[in-house]
């Protein structure tokens, strides 16, 4: 494996002081996407909510260059629960963001990061992780399938159709 988190890719737990770097990275990744409809950017407020409310926010670095971002929102606001049509919302977390720089895609970093997020969620007593994926985003869908997530619903949010993936923790 060319890139491995915690070996040649550095994993950093984000803090509120990293907000500008996180939003700049998010904007850069989205601006370089061919299918911008695959991803809806988080607002600064949504990122701050995760940072300040026991969420798990990780940044990936290759040397000093940010190459990835993972955001898990623990106990998301009720409007998100309703928007995702989650009927059993006990101890749920939303995997809000998984972003890998275009030059680092295809090397397994998304799956590696998702496993780290899963293990963190387990330590935080999260019972299930939920995420949305555009139905035509075959690469992300494949990674969710590989890691044992199941599609529990298809809804229209974030400007289009989204598959709702879920895994018991």
């Amino acid at each position: 494996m060319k890139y491995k988190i915690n070996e040649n890719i550095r994993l950093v737990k984000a803090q509120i002081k990293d907000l500008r770097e996180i939003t700049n990275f998010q904007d850069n990744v989205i601006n370089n996407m061919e299918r911008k409809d695959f991803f809806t950017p988080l607002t600064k407020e949504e990122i701050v909510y995760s940072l300040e409310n026991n969420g798990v926010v990780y940044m990936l670095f290759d040397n000093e260059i940010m190459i990835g971002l993972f955001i898990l929102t623990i106990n998301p606001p009720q409007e998100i629960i309703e928007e995702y049509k989650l009927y059993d919302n006990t101890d749920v977390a939303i995997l809000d963001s998984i972003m890998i720089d275009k030059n680092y895609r295809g090397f397994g970093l998304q799956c590696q990061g998702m496993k780290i997020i899963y293990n963190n969620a387990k330590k935080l007593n999260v019972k299930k992780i939920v995420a949305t994926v555009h139905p035509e985003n075959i690469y992300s869908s494949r990674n969710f399938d590989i890691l044992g997530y199941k599609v529990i619903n298809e809804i229209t949010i974030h400007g289009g159709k989204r598959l709702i993936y879920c895994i018991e923790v």
Side-chain angles (χ1 to χ4, degrees), residues 19-80:
L19 183 60
R20 181 179 303 261
E21 188 170 15
I22 291 168
T23 56
N24 287 344
F25 177 77
Q26 177 180 251
D27 293 346
N28 184 50
V29 169
I30 292 171
N31 288 337
N32 287 304
M33 292 177 81
E34 286 183 33
R35 294 285 310 267
K36 292 177 181 23
D37 58 325
F38 277 10
F39 197 87
T40 301
L42 296 179
T43 65
K44 284 183 182 179
E45 293 77 21
E46 289 170 320
I47 297 166
V48 167
Y49 182 90
S50 289
L51 289 167
E52 292 182 341
N53 291 284
N54 205 29
V56 178
V57 181
Y58 283 125
M59 303 179 297
L60 296 180
F61 290 88
D62 183 4
N63 294 311
E64 297 306 311
I65 300 168
M66 187 171 174
I67 62 157
L69 176 67
F70 298 88
I71 299 177
L72 182 73
T73 302
I74 311 264
N75 297 318
Q78 187 61 34
E79 61 266 19
I80 302 277

Side-chain angles (χ1 to χ4, degrees), residues 2-19:
K2 184 174 182 176
Y3 297 112
K4 190 145 188 199
I5 296 175
N6 291 326
E7 286 185 15
N8 60 352
I9 298 297
R10 191 166 43 98
L11 179 75
V12 175
K13 187 166 171 111
Q15 300 174 22
I16 200 72
K17 69 177 181 58
D18 300 312
L19 183 60

